[in-house]
Amino acid sequence: MAKSRKLFSDAKKVIPSGVNSPVRYIEPYPFFVKRSEGSSLWDEDGNRYTDFCNGYGALLLGHTRKEIISTVSSQLKKGTLYTTPTALEIELSKLIIKNFPSIKKVRTVNTGAEATMTAIRLARGFTKKKKIIKFEGCYHGAYDTVLVKAGSGSAHNGISISDGGLDEVSKNTLVVPYNDINELEKTLTKNKDVAGLIIEPVLANMGLVLPEKNFLSDVRKITKQYDVPLIFDEVVNGFRISEGGAQKFFHIQPDITTLGKALGNGFTIAAVGGKKEIMNKLSPDGKVYQASTFAGNPISVTAAISSIKTINKIKNRLYPKLERYCKIMVDEIDDLATDYHIPHTINSISSMFQIFFTNQKVIDYKTAKKSNTKKFQKLFSNLLKNGIFIAPSQYETVFLSDAHTDADITKTLGAYGLSLKQVKN
Ligand SMILES: Cc1ncc(COP(=O)(O)O)c(C=O)c1O
């Protein structure tokens, strides 16, 4: 890893902490990637890694997916940015609406954070109210309103509220434990000024935490009862839990949905959509302002069209395959950890799973925090030494992709065996 070490030392001189996003920092230094293909990454030193981070869930179809590369390559020759409308944007919107029937109108943005920020502003503009309810451990982007008791990198780095964040902003964010409908009801009874509730239906930023039976339907019921717009942040869940996201899987219709990650299979694109009466509040027709130079650029839009078309074409093969691989991995890892007498619990759904080093069931932020993160770091480092790359934090999720093969799964389980043995010691 001589080249990566040297590159990290160079990077630290010109990039804060040497990385462009905090979770990318790995002790003692991250590996620097030269290229990727299918299920693999290659670093500057020539090492190959089987990728289970997959762009934090974005690469549902794997790296360098041929259908996407081919359509994007053709578009590159026709131009990269017009900042005036294209027929492509209508095609993409129709595809999103077809897959997510709760969405009647949709606007394309660049990142998940932009999508959730717009969703929240829309909820506030629509209701003319101020407060937002979010759940502990859910991550919706790196900005003040939602960077309160958030998961992902902020949980990993122990930052509950960021320095530089304004109390005046975060005081309008009410935080409720995930999977706790009674606390939600209390919060709604106490606060009359609630503009919206935002939730990751399946929480993928605290490790992986699943909604308990009836939790999501109760959240839907109670938000209707209190007339609070329900925002499903499906930036991770969308296209991953099913082609229609968590809302299709759990049969819940939110008022607003945000998408990102797998929408573009690695290209920079996200979206915010929902009921017509809410979406019509966006300017210039409405008075909720949202804008971006790069929104709807033909490269990202082409990538998203190609991703959705591919997903729709192969869905009958794709989702059962990912679920089967996920189950094989979870069962084997569970057996290995049990054989080594390591206290653990594993949560999984569809193409995602995570192991926590605790005996307790993990159902929320508090129980996720009971996991022994030192053991997780040992697991991560040993997997990496054995050529397997999972996200370097307990508070992230292992993601499968369509590019994974039987051989990848066998190799990975071998590496989990060796690594869990080290965790035990
Ligand atoms: C559920 C969820 N929402 C929003 C975001 C923010 O997306 P981005 O990093 O593209 O701004 C993330 C990022 O990980 C996410 O997991």
Side-chain angles (χ1 to χ4, degrees), residues 111-113 116 139-141 200 205 233 235-236 261:
T111 65
T116 61
Y139 179 76
H140 305 292
E200 280 184 81
N205 281 291
D233 179 358
V235 165
V236 172
K261 307 234 182 200

Side-chain angles (χ1 to χ4, degrees), residues 42-58:
W42 283 264
D43 73 11
E44 291 279 355
D45 291 282
N47 301 304
R48 178 180 181 161
Y49 305 89
T50 307
D51 189 8
F52 286 90
C53 179
N54 275 308
Y56 290 88

Side-chain angles (χ1 to χ4, degrees), residues 18 20 87 94 122 136 173 192 276 313 325 367 399 409:
N20 273 316
K94 284 185 178 168
L122 264 169
E136 256 181 327
T173 304
K192 296 295 162 222
K276 264 192 192 143
K313 194 165 142 204
Y325 276 176
T367 44
F399 292 103
I409 304 302

Side-chain angles (χ1 to χ4, degrees), residues 31 80 108 125 141 150 192 212 232 258 265 274 303 313 357:
F31 61 96
T80 54
T108 301
K192 296 295 162 222
E212 299 207 300
F232 263 18
T258 56
N265 202 68
K313 194 165 142 204
F357 293 105

Side-chain angles (χ1 to χ4, degrees), residues 209-369:
V209 183
L210 306 185
E212 299 207 300
K213 195 163 180 278
N214 298 332
F215 176 62
L216 292 176
S217 54
D218 286 347
V219 168
R220 177 64 284 190
K221 238 185 265 162
I222 205 170
T223 46
K224 269 203 179 133
Q225 191 188 323
Y226 284 83
D227 217 5
V228 168
L230 172 62
I231 304 165
F232 263 18
D233 179 358
E234 297 231 30
V235 165
V236 172
N237 295 180
F239 300 102
R240 202 162 251 290
I241 305 271
S242 81
E243 77 281 7
Q247 53 196 264
K248 178 171 180 188
F249 192 92
F250 294 104
H251 310 288
I252 314 269
Q253 297 254 308
D255 301 302
I256 305 175
T257 299
T258 56
L259 299 168
K261 307 234 182 200
L263 171 64
N265 202 68
F267 283 81
T268 312
I269 188 162
V272 52
K275 287 181 166 168
K276 264 192 192 143
E277 61 269 33
I278 299 179
M279 296 309 294
N280 285 341
K281 295 286 176 198
L282 282 179
S283 65
D285 281 352
K287 292 205 160 143
V288 175
Y289 197 70
Q290 174 276 334
S292 158
T293 303
F294 294 110
N297 76 75
I299 300 304
S300 299
V301 169
T302 300
I305 290 171
S306 184
S307 300
I308 301 179
K309 281 186 172 168
T310 306
I311 290 167
N312 286 162
K313 194 165 142 204
I314 65 168
K315 68 177 183 192
N316 293 335
R317 177 188 66 71
L318 176 69
Y319 295 102
K321 170 191 162 174
L322 294 174
E323 213 166 288
R324 187 170 61 82
Y325 276 176
C326 190
K327 182 166 179 351
I328 292 171
M329 292 184 76
V330 167
D331 288 350
E332 176 70 15
I333 293 166
D334 189 23
D335 285 350
L336 287 163
T338 306
D339 288 350
Y340 287 129
H341 304 288
I342 304 169
H344 70 283
T345 187
I346 305 177
N347 288 341
S348 70
I349 186 169
S350 197
S351 56
M352 310 188 260
F353 72 88
Q354 188 55 287
I355 186 167
F356 298 88
F357 293 105
T358 164
N359 269 331
Q360 279 188 24
K361 242 178 108 182
V362 174
I363 55 158
D364 55 15
Y365 189 80
K366 220 159 80 203
T367 44
K369 283 273 180 184

